[in-house]
Amino acid sequence: EEQINAYYPLAPCQSMNTTVSVVAGTGCTSTVDISNIINPLSDLKITTMNSTVPPIPGNPYQQKVIVKNIGTVTESGVQLGYEHDGQLIFGSTSQPALTQLNAGAAPNHYSIQSGFPSLAPGAGTTILMNYNTPTNIPLGTVVTFFDSVANAAPIATNWLVDYSPWNNVNTHQPVVIGSYDPNYKEVSPRGVDTPGYIPSTTTEFDYTIHFQNEGTYFAQNIYITDQLDPDFDWTTLRPGYSDYSYTTTVSETGLVTFTFTDINLPWKSQYGDALSSGLINYSIERLSTNPQGTEFTNTADIFFDYNPPITTNTTLNTLNDDVFSNVEDYASSVIEESGISVDLYPVPANESVTIRINNVSFNQIAELSIFDLTGKSISSEQINLTEGSSLVYKNISYLENGTYLTRIQFEDGSFVVKKIVFSK
């Protein structure tokens, strides 16, 4: 029996020949180790999720940033970038610790430029990010976190040489809540507004199912069932990170079952939130034929031993390009309010884009970021602006054809947004 990673093809030329000689006989067993040559592929993935509970006013909030090597070679020079929107109060990180890039110009930016542990194929590292949630933050507030990873510096360009670069950048958008059910589900990208609008450029979804033992004794076995939406390509299901060992099965009808055998999960009242909680994460791609207006829903049932199932909330995303067609109108309103005008040319851009920034009130360092239409951060850098007007030349030859947003954030916290149309 041979098991290989179905996501990565074997190299076309296989030089490892194995000769097997057997003699028929009762109870005869022959064990053969088969060694194949695989293509050397760099493929890192970064995922950010709530560690246990979402942000709650006046309470600590913790999230997990997970970097996993889903490629075929060991990665020893991993680079990581991380940004939060400043609405929560940053506290600390676990090891490997992130460091602040520039406390003055970019107070909410952090990175790991050295010291990240080597990752063998299939291995991963989890970083805990600790925050405090302000008491006066309104319920329903969406807080945003951007992260990116590359197998070598600089992050801004080297993540694009990855086998699947779309999962090297990530946007996590939890919602500030009051009371909560600890058995819940979250999706990334979250999408826009209640329908979770996403553009057609979004092809992959990350789902995280959180569970907690609220009983009065250890949960010996837990299994979670999840009926996949028929608008997904079921063959692209990829089980991901979990706090505990598990197995995954998929039925012909698309019912996924995650089984945690002998997990012996402690109960909350005796052991607290951290020890009584767990999660399972997976990714899946949508069908390329989904029409506009397609809704992607997802709900899970969580079984603790022989108890009735606990049904999670239902996540919702809706395919709608029209919602994202008015980004230029939004950008124009921001520019008018700030008094700063920004021009980008040529349109469409190909190898590079020139950005002219007018009416700057004083010499300063600003931050220039590029995002795709789902809000995923593609690149970020500091630029020097002079009083009056400045010209910035940006190489964007690494982008794929499509529409992007560029954001210029100034030292006083204000920013402008412009749309880039890129065509090779």
Side-chain angles (χ1 to χ4, degrees):
E1 179 181 350
E2 179 182 11
Q3 295 181 348
I4 61 172
N5 190 336
Y7 294 99
Y8 303 119
L10 297 173
C13 182
Q14 297 295 318
S15 60
M16 297 292 192
N17 297 319
T18 302
T19 300
V20 180
S21 299
V22 295
V23 177
T26 302
C28 178
T29 300
S30 179
T31 301
V32 179
D33 292 329
I34 300 176
S35 177
N36 279 309
I37 300 174
I38 58 175
N39 290 328
L41 297 173
S42 291
D43 198 356
L44 295 171
K45 178 177 181 178
I46 189 166
T47 307
T48 299
M49 63 189 70
N50 299 334
S51 182
T52 53
V53 304
I56 300 174
N59 287 268
Y61 166 67
Q62 185 182 78
Q63 63 182 205
K64 293 181 177 180
V65 178
I66 300 164
V67 178
K68 187 171 183 179
N69 182 3
I70 55 177
T72 63
V73 296
T74 297
E75 302 290 2
S76 58
V78 176
Q79 306 281 300
L80 187 145
Y82 178 90
E83 176 188 3
H84 65 92
D85 64 7
Q87 296 188 86
L88 304 186
I89 303 169
F90 177 75
S92 62
T93 77
S94 65
Q95 296 295 325
L98 283 77
T99 57
Q100 198 171 41
L101 293 176
N102 188 315
N108 301 328
H109 285 242
Y110 300 83
S111 72
I112 298 177
Q113 299 178 345
S114 63
F116 200 97
S118 295
L119 296 178
T125 293
T126 300
I127 303 174
L128 300 178
M129 308 294 295
N130 298 300
Y131 292 85
N132 288 312
T133 308
T135 57
N136 59 349
I137 190 169
L139 297 182
T141 298
V142 178
V143 289
T144 303
F145 305 86
F146 304 102
D147 52 43
S148 55
V149 70
N151 67 338
I155 298 176
T157 55
N158 277 346
W159 68 271
L160 288 161
V161 303
D162 195 270
Y163 183 71
S164 54
W166 53 85
N167 59 27
N168 288 57
V169 289
N170 182 65
T171 302
H172 180 52
Q173 293 183 300
V175 179
V176 177
I177 64 171
S179 59
Y180 74 101
D181 184 343
N183 297 283
Y184 69 101
K185 189 163 199 173
E186 56 180 327
V187 60
S188 178
R190 177 179 170 272
V192 176
D193 297 331
T194 302
Y197 292 123
I198 55 169
S200 54
T201 52
T202 298
T203 59
E204 185 177 68
F205 301 81
D206 266 285
Y207 289 100
T208 304
I209 304 168
H210 297 262
F211 54 90
Q212 184 172 41
N213 180 6
E214 294 190 292
T216 57
Y217 191 67
F218 296 97
Q220 300 175 55
N221 299 288
I222 297 173
Y223 67 95
I224 299 170
T225 60
D226 189 324
Q227 177 60 54
L228 297 178
D229 191 304
D231 293 309
F232 288 136
D233 180 356
W234 297 349
T235 64
T236 64
L237 174 74
R238 179 179 291 182
Y241 172 84
S242 177
D243 299 304
Y244 300 93
S245 299
Y246 68 95
T247 59
T248 306
T249 59
V250 185
S251 73
E252 294 181 356
T253 62
L255 183 68
V256 182
T257 302
F258 302 104
T259 302
F260 298 84
T261 304
D262 296 329
I263 185 174
N264 290 317
L265 188 69
W267 63 102
K268 176 181 177 180
S269 62
Q270 180 70 30
Y271 291 89
D273 284 327
L275 294 178
S276 63
S277 301
L279 60 83
I280 176 67
N281 169 266
Y282 71 88
S283 64
I284 194 168
E285 297 177 20
R286 66 176 181 85
L287 296 170
S288 60
T289 55
N290 296 137
Q292 292 291 299
T294 299
E295 293 185 344
F296 306 91
T297 59
N298 201 285
T299 307
D301 287 315
I302 305 170
F303 297 80
F304 293 87
D305 292 323
Y306 302 103
N307 295 297
I310 297 174
T311 302
T312 68
N313 58 296
T314 299
T315 62
L316 172 63
N317 290 105
T318 305
L319 191 62
N320 190 328
D321 283 325
D322 290 340
V323 172
F324 299 89
S325 64
N326 63 354
V327 292
E328 188 69 32
D329 297 333
Y330 167 72
S332 298
S333 66
V334 174
I335 293 169
E336 290 172 2
E337 292 173 5
S338 67
I340 295 177
S341 64
V342 176
D343 301 307
L344 276 72
Y345 50 87
V347 179
N350 43 43
E351 294 296 318
S352 63
V353 63
T354 299
I355 306 171
R356 184 182 181 90
I357 306 164
N358 302 306
N359 302 325
V360 178
S361 58
F362 59 93
N363 294 349
Q364 59 180 290
I365 298 175
E367 180 186 18
L368 173 65
S369 303
I370 296 179
F371 304 88
D372 66 18
L373 291 183
T374 67
K376 288 186 176 181
S377 176
I378 294 175
S379 68
S380 181
E381 63 182 279
Q382 294 178 7
I383 56 176
N384 294 313
L385 302 181
T386 58
E387 184 176 354
S389 64
S390 297
L391 285 177
V392 178
Y393 303 96
K394 177 70 175 175
N395 176 20
I396 55 173
S397 60
Y398 55 86
L399 295 178
E400 298 294 331
N401 289 347
T403 301
Y404 301 84
L405 297 179
T406 180
R407 182 185 69 187
I408 303 165
Q409 184 165 344
F410 305 99
E411 290 184 359
D412 63 0
S414 64
F415 64 92
V416 295
V417 179
K418 266 292 192 177
K419 181 166 65 175
I420 299 175
V421 178
F422 180 74
S423 178
K424 293 182 180 178

